[in-house]
Amino acid sequence: MFGAVSLMTPVYTQARGYATLKDISMRLKSVKNIQKITKSMKMVSAAKYAKAEKDLKATRPYGEATSVFNEQAEVSSEPENVKKHLIVAVTSDRGLCGAIHTSIVKAVKSLLAEEKVQNLDTKIVCIGDKSKSMLQRVFANNILFSVNDVGKKNVTFLDASLIANSILNSGYEFDSGEILYNKFKTVISYTTTKQPFYSSTLINSAKNIGLYDSLDAETLRCYQEYQLASMIFYALKENSTSELSSRMSAMDNASKNAGEMIDKLTLYYNRTRQAVITRELIEIISGASALDAKE
């Protein structure tokens, strides 16, 4: 008597270029999770930064004292006396701290370009995986060795001493060298700085070395080892403080950006949900009106 009736569930297809409520909800959830992570990283960096800044004040005499002797003795690296040059690039193993590692790598590349013109035999010691990963693509032959896991908890003089011993026992007889690091200025600023150091031969041939009495070869060698370790320790402390302050600022900016994105996504989600509800109401009312018209 009655024909077959096909019961079909209506399928709502999403227009191309428009996100569904589920897509927006998933995106909103992921951004909120990212904001939680960035806020946590900011709090951790802030706690570490407060301690690092306090330690840095006690460490700065190490860096200042190392340059006093060179200035008083007037140690200089004349081009004719320098054939081998060593660059120590101080970075770390962790990222998410702005351009703090990139600035060191840019300074290293600039020095390498200058020294290539001067035909110097230049080698690089990379402290931290970040400098190694960025430099080994182009300057793999210039890397003498690399060091990682330095100052994972807190930078100590033992870490600097081990690096200095590795440099002096590497077999590379450098004439002069430079330590490149980021010097801490304020919470939001730092300066990429280079600290020169010299071989015992250049120190022994300094202009005013005669002002110091009882300086034999063994004393100068011991002083050079201690001076290099002190310089590296100071550079590690300065760079660590700069890195923590930079990461704190970067995570603060990331949290603010995530908050702005959450507000936009929430507004977009509410508008989309309202549009879906309105469309469904229109379909219900249209269907009811069609049924009334048939009756």
Side-chain angles (χ1 to χ4, degrees):
M1 182 176 176
F2 297 102
V5 179
S6 176
L7 298 176
M8 297 179 64
T9 305
V11 178
Y12 299 103
T13 58
Q14 185 69 33
R16 187 174 180 179
Y18 290 88
T20 62
L21 284 173
K22 186 177 180 181
D23 293 336
I24 301 170
S25 178
M26 290 175 63
R27 180 75 184 278
L28 191 59
K29 185 178 179 180
S30 66
V31 175
K32 285 181 178 179
N33 289 336
I34 291 171
Q35 189 186 42
K36 289 178 183 177
I37 294 170
T38 55
K39 282 184 175 179
S40 299
M41 290 184 68
K42 177 191 170 185
M43 291 174 65
V44 172
S45 298
K48 289 183 177 180
Y49 162 74
K51 186 178 184 302
E53 187 183 20
K54 184 180 178 181
D55 293 342
L56 181 61
K57 293 178 181 178
T59 310
R60 276 190 165 151
Y62 282 90
E64 295 170 357
T66 52
S67 60
V68 172
F69 176 80
N70 293 339
E71 292 172 1
Q72 295 293 330
E74 296 187 15
V75 183
S76 62
S77 54
E78 298 297 333
E80 61 271 12
N81 297 329
V82 178
K83 302 298 179 184
K84 293 184 176 181
H85 190 72
L86 181 66
I87 299 173
V88 181
V90 181
T91 56
S92 72
D93 303 332
R94 300 180 63 195
L96 298 176
C97 50
I100 197 163
H101 302 314
T102 310
S103 63
I104 295 292
V105 173
K106 284 182 178 179
V108 171
K109 289 180 179 179
S110 177
L111 283 174
L112 287 172
E114 293 175 6
E115 291 167 6
K116 188 177 181 181
V117 176
Q118 300 172 10
N119 294 320
L120 291 179
D121 178 16
T122 307
K123 293 294 182 182
I124 309 167
V125 173
C126 297
I127 300 178
D129 288 336
K130 290 298 178 180
S131 58
K132 179 187 174 183
S133 62
M134 286 187 275
L135 289 171
Q136 70 179 355
R137 301 170 191 171
V138 183
F139 304 104
N141 295 330
N142 295 92
I143 297 177
L144 185 63
F145 64 87
S146 62
V147 183
N148 56 8
D149 291 334
V150 176
K152 205 167 186 179
K153 293 183 178 179
N154 191 24
V155 178
T156 62
F157 192 80
L158 178 61
D159 296 330
S161 299
L162 292 173
I163 296 170
N165 285 333
S166 299
I167 291 172
L168 296 173
N169 297 327
S170 64
Y172 181 72
E173 299 293 334
F174 61 89
D175 297 314
S176 65
E178 289 173 311
I179 301 174
L180 292 175
Y181 62 96
N182 291 299
K183 187 174 183 179
F184 175 76
K185 292 178 70 177
T186 63
V187 181
I188 58 173
S189 66
Y190 55 86
T191 307
T192 303
T193 310
K194 54 185 179 180
Q195 184 80 14
F197 59 92
Y198 308 97
S199 64
S200 56
T201 305
L202 284 180
I203 294 174
N204 195 31
S205 60
K207 183 179 179 181
N208 295 332
I209 194 67
L211 296 174
Y212 298 90
D213 297 330
S214 303
L215 284 181
D216 54 8
E218 182 65 20
T219 304
L220 283 175
R221 188 184 64 81
C222 292
Y223 171 75
Q224 184 211 11
E225 293 176 0
Y226 180 74
Q227 183 192 45
L228 184 58
S230 298
M231 282 183 174
I232 293 173
F233 178 57
Y234 170 66
L236 287 171
K237 281 290 189 181
E238 286 277 5
N239 197 78
S240 176
T241 307
S242 301
E243 180 188 345
L244 289 170
S245 65
S246 182
R247 182 175 290 112
M248 186 172 63
S249 300
M251 292 301 101
D252 183 46
N253 292 332
S255 299
K256 289 178 181 178
N257 292 337
E260 292 176 2
M261 189 173 288
I262 288 169
D263 292 339
K264 290 179 181 178
L265 286 172
T266 303
L267 182 61
Y268 185 38
Y269 178 83
N270 291 336
R271 285 178 176 175
T272 306
R273 185 180 63 177
Q274 188 64 42
V276 170
I277 293 170
T278 303
R279 186 179 67 245
E280 290 177 352
L281 285 173
I282 291 171
E283 290 173 355
I284 292 169
I285 293 169
S286 298
S289 298
L291 290 175
D292 292 341
K294 287 182 180 180
E295 292 178 358

